[in-house]
């Protein structure tokens, strides 16, 4: 499939974990061969006054310069209102097309929080039970009778992540996929990596299977269900499945490298990511992503019980919390707003990386009704170091006295 000179690359590597510790946001980021990087962002002891737009733009300019980004788009949502949306740099360098808040980016594994929210909605509708075996909804592959929906959603089912069929689907036999059921071939011939419920292993292929469960339980096409139950509810007008005809007007051009002579290298033109569905198959904008975050704390979208499922990391069968503190499509952590603060607040977050093309990140403090997201059309060296800065920027918008425990 030929898609306008920029189709995003493969192997979504979505990495990060936020944990609160002694007045800091501690973010552990796993990337490249399981190496764990640890960064700490200190939070000041006073409540900051809300910054003006120019101060956030200045922070964006510094990030763009430091990480040599072609473009950077960022959005902030507080109490169900967009309080900042801005974009700098170029969506397409050759055409000198400037990035705008409407510029769409491949957001990689940020499809997983979307899928987690959709799953929670089906739980509320009593169409899915998290602790039912997957075989109650889909009977293929044969191993679907060995793990639950909850275990699948939290990456402890054992479905392999890297399979050769994925590369072939993305770069060789490219086509637009209409149903996740049609994409099971990228993992269905491979055995489980371990006994379900005994380990944690991140798997985008597992989320293709989860997308199929959602389609079956909802009795409608998976993407149509997301459109009707989530995207349309929260004004996500720029979010769509990454097919050959998506993003024709607004999708950014992607760059795979930055040479020493200061020139960017275009990413591959021929690629399909629609087969990933809830594992990483969407394009979106930071504004849409922060709009979506409202679903995690809205008073009238999910029940309190369903929200608690999102806020609570899944336990292994031995009773231990999984190593990545993963729940239904989200990584979960806590923060404190000051060193002497006795109160901790829940953090939900997720990253998305489309290999040699783009990276995006969403950080949410649902009890403060606050979220921030960014996206860019290039993956800079040590890109994960951009993520703690998002927490710092978001904190400056929050009056902690207005946060409420769920």
């Amino acid at each position: 499939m030929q898609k306008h000179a920029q189709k995003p690359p493969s192997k979504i590597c979505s990495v990060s974990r936020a944990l609160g510790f002694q007045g800091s946001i501690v973010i552990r980021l796993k990337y490249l061969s399981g190496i764990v990087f640890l960064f700490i962002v200190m939070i000041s002891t006073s409540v900051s006054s809300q910054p003006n737009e120019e101060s956030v733009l200045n922070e964006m300019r510094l990030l763009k310069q430091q990480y040599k980004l072609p473009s950077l788009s960022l959005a902030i949502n507080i109490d169900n209102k967009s309080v900042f949306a801005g974009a700098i740099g170029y969506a397409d360098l050759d055409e000198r097309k400037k990035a705008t808040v409407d510029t769409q980016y491949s957001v990689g594994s940020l499809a997983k929080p979307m899928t987690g929210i959709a799953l929670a909605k089906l739980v509320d509708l009593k169409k899915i039970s998290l602790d039912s075996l997957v075989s109650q909804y889909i009977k293929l592959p044969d191993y679907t009778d060995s793990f639950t929906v909850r275990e699948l959603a939290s990456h402890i089912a054992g479905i392999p992540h890297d399979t050769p069929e994925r590369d072939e689907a993305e770069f060789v036999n490219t086509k637009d996929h209409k149903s996740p059921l049609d994409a099971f071939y990228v993992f269905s011939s491979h055995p489980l990596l371990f006994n379900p419920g005994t380990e944690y292993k991140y798997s985008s292929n597992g989320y293709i299977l989860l997308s199929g469960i959602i389609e079956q339980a909802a009795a409608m096409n998976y993407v149509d269900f997301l459109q009707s139950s989530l995207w349309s509810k929260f004004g996500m007008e720029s979010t769509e499945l990454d097919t050959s005809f998506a993003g024709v007007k607004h999708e950014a051009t992607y760059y795979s490298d930055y040479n020493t002579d200061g020139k960017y290298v275009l990413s591959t033109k021929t690629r399909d990511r629609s087969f990933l569905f809830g594992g990483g198959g969407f394009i979106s904008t930071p504004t849409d992503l922060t709009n979506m975050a409202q679903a995690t704390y809205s008073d009238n979208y999910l029940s309190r019980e369903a929200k608690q499922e999102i806020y609570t990391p899944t336990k292994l069968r031995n009773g231990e919390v999984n190593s990545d503190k993963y729940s239904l499509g989200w990584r979960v952590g806590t923060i404190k707003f000051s060193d002497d603060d006795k109160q901790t607040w829940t953090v939900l977050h997720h990253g998305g990386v489309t290999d040699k093309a783009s990276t995006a990140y969403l950080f949410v403090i649902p009890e403060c009704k606050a979220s921030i997201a960014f996206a860019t059309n290039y993956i800079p060296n040590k890109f994960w170091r951009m993520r703690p800065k998002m927490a710092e920027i978001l904190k400056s918008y929050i009056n902690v006295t207005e946060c409420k425990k769920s």
Side-chain angles (χ1 to χ4, degrees):
M1 171 193 321
Q2 193 80 12
K3 181 171 177 180
H4 40 282
Q6 65 244 20
K7 211 54 219 160
S10 124
K11 300 195 173 96
I12 300 170
C13 179
S14 112
V15 292
S16 71
R17 181 204 252 164
L19 302 167
F21 179 73
Q22 297 300 317
S24 306
I25 295 177
V26 180
I27 299 185
R28 280 184 196 150
L29 301 158
K30 290 203 266 182
Y31 186 64
L32 298 176
S33 304
I35 300 172
V36 176
F37 299 88
L38 184 64
F39 301 98
I40 300 177
V41 179
M42 296 303 298
I43 294 183
S44 66
T45 56
S46 62
V47 176
S48 304
S49 59
Q50 185 166 306
N52 59 38
E53 182 173 304
E54 190 60 30
S55 68
V56 179
L57 286 170
N58 283 336
E59 294 285 1
M60 292 173 66
R61 293 181 189 112
L62 289 172
L63 287 169
K64 180 180 180 298
Q65 180 181 17
Q66 180 180 358
Y67 291 95
K68 298 180 173 61
L69 305 174
S71 72
L72 177 63
S73 181
L74 188 147
I76 301 169
N77 192 297
I78 303 291
D79 197 17
N80 304 318
K81 299 180 183 66
S82 177
V83 296
F84 177 88
I88 58 176
Y90 290 95
D92 189 298
L93 290 165
D94 290 340
E95 296 183 6
R96 309 305 288 172
K97 180 180 178 181
K98 291 186 176 182
T100 72
V101 294
D102 296 320
T103 299
Q104 296 165 298
Y105 298 84
S106 175
V107 295
S109 284
L110 284 170
K112 293 181 178 72
M114 296 183 200
T115 305
I117 291 169
L119 177 61
K121 190 65 175 177
L122 285 170
V123 170
D124 267 347
L125 294 172
K126 302 190 183 310
K127 294 186 176 182
I128 283 183
S129 170
L130 292 176
D131 294 315
S132 291
L133 293 175
V134 167
S135 58
Q136 182 171 325
Y137 308 96
I138 287 180
K139 298 189 181 302
L140 293 174
D142 292 341
Y143 51 60
T144 56
D145 62 357
S146 63
F147 51 82
T148 66
V149 176
R150 184 193 304 277
E151 290 172 330
L152 178 63
S154 51
H155 304 292
I156 61 174
I159 305 247
H161 176 71
D162 293 314
T163 54
E165 291 86 351
R166 277 187 56 175
D167 283 342
E168 191 164 326
E170 185 163 359
F171 299 107
V172 182
N173 297 322
T174 57
K175 64 178 181 179
D176 288 334
H177 291 72
K178 293 180 171 56
S179 166
L181 303 178
D182 299 329
F184 283 12
Y185 65 89
V186 302
F187 64 87
S188 60
S189 64
H190 296 269
L192 297 180
L193 298 176
F194 48 79
N195 291 329
T198 63
E199 299 180 36
Y200 173 91
K201 181 67 175 178
Y202 188 85
S203 176
S204 291
N205 286 338
Y207 263 67
I208 301 174
L209 177 55
L210 184 59
S211 302
I213 293 170
I214 287 172
E215 182 167 290
Q216 295 292 94
M220 65 188 299
N221 177 269
Y222 163 78
V223 177
D224 290 344
F225 181 70
L226 259 65
Q227 173 64 50
S228 62
S229 70
L230 179 62
W231 299 347
S232 64
K233 301 295 184 185
F234 294 97
M236 299 172 66
E237 298 178 356
S238 297
T239 303
E240 54 187 324
L241 185 66
D242 199 0
T243 62
S244 61
F245 49 85
V248 174
K249 291 184 178 180
H250 297 296
E251 188 175 5
T253 297
Y254 302 108
Y255 301 92
S256 62
D257 206 354
Y258 181 79
N259 292 332
T260 54
D261 61 2
K263 293 184 178 180
Y264 292 88
V265 178
L266 276 172
S267 185
T268 181
K269 297 180 181 180
T270 304
R271 151 177 269 148
D272 168 50
R273 292 187 67 77
S274 65
F275 75 93
L276 277 165
F277 290 95
F282 299 114
I283 58 175
S284 188
T285 65
T287 296
D288 274 18
L289 294 173
T290 55
N291 284 347
M292 178 187 74
Q294 297 174 56
T296 68
Y297 57 75
S298 172
D299 293 331
N300 53 19
Y301 182 71
L302 293 175
S303 68
R304 184 179 184 277
E305 291 74 19
K307 285 184 284 191
Q308 285 300 321
E309 296 287 5
I310 290 175
Y311 300 168
T312 307
T314 300
K315 292 181 179 180
L316 303 176
R317 293 184 184 180
N318 65 6
E320 296 178 1
V321 172
N322 73 81
S323 60
D324 219 22
K325 294 196 172 181
Y326 210 96
S327 64
L328 306 184
W330 296 85
R331 291 181 172 91
V332 184
T334 59
I335 67 168
K336 291 184 178 182
F337 279 86
S338 67
D339 289 336
D340 57 357
D341 191 355
K342 296 180 180 180
Q343 182 67 70
T344 60
W345 305 96
T346 300
V347 166
L348 304 175
H349 65 108
H350 214 292
V353 177
T354 301
D355 189 38
K356 297 182 180 178
S358 65
T359 183
Y361 185 61
L362 175 60
F363 184 92
V364 187
I365 309 176
E367 292 158 324
C368 300
K369 297 185 176 181
S371 62
I372 185 170
F374 79 80
T376 184
N377 49 341
Y378 168 65
I379 305 173
N381 186 36
K382 299 180 180 178
F383 67 90
W384 53 85
R385 290 183 174 175
M386 297 173 62
R387 294 174 174 178
K389 188 64 179 178
M390 298 303 109
E392 185 180 329
I393 293 172
L394 182 60
K395 177 262 173 185
S396 67
Y397 275 84
I398 295 172
N399 181 347
V400 71
T401 62
E402 296 179 358
C403 300
K404 296 179 181 179
K405 293 303 291 183
S406 58

